[in-house]
Amino acid sequence: MKNEVFIDTPYITLGQLLKEESVVSTGGQAKWYLREHVVNVNSEPDDRRGRKLYPGDTVDVPDVGLFFIRSKQGE
């Protein structure tokens, strides 16, 4: 499933995205989730919950969805 995630800050972290999209409910769960599951950021595997995501980035969470980071102010 494709989802657009609109942010009003310069970036969002991967852990914050997982919490905002209800993949996990806490930062601790995000850390565990990223160790146990392959998550691709811009088609590259990434397991850092502090990874900064900027408008234009894509995050593919298998069995959950594909997320497109967008700016509320417009890119």
Side-chain angles (χ1 to χ4, degrees):
M1 178 166 60
K2 295 181 180 180
N3 302 295
E4 288 188 319
V5 178
F6 291 93
I7 59 173
D8 55 6
T9 57
Y11 64 87
I12 185 172
T13 65
L14 183 55
Q16 289 171 325
L17 174 75
L18 294 175
K19 286 182 359 183
E20 184 174 305
E21 295 302 317
S22 301
V23 177
V24 298
S25 53
T26 68
Q29 287 179 344
K31 186 176 183 177
W32 169 83
Y33 186 89
L34 291 168
R35 285 189 180 160
E36 299 293 322
H37 299 85
V38 175
V39 173
N40 292 307
V41 176
N42 299 327
S43 301
E44 297 283 332
D46 202 323
D47 62 357
R48 299 172 293 162
R49 68 179 171 162
R51 165 73 187 260
K52 293 178 182 177
L53 305 171
Y54 297 93
D57 286 342
T58 60
V59 179
D60 185 12
V61 183
D63 300 322
V64 176
L66 182 61
F67 301 95
F68 298 94
I69 310 303
R70 302 287 183 246
S71 173
K72 284 186 179 177
Q73 291 91 17
E75 284 188 27

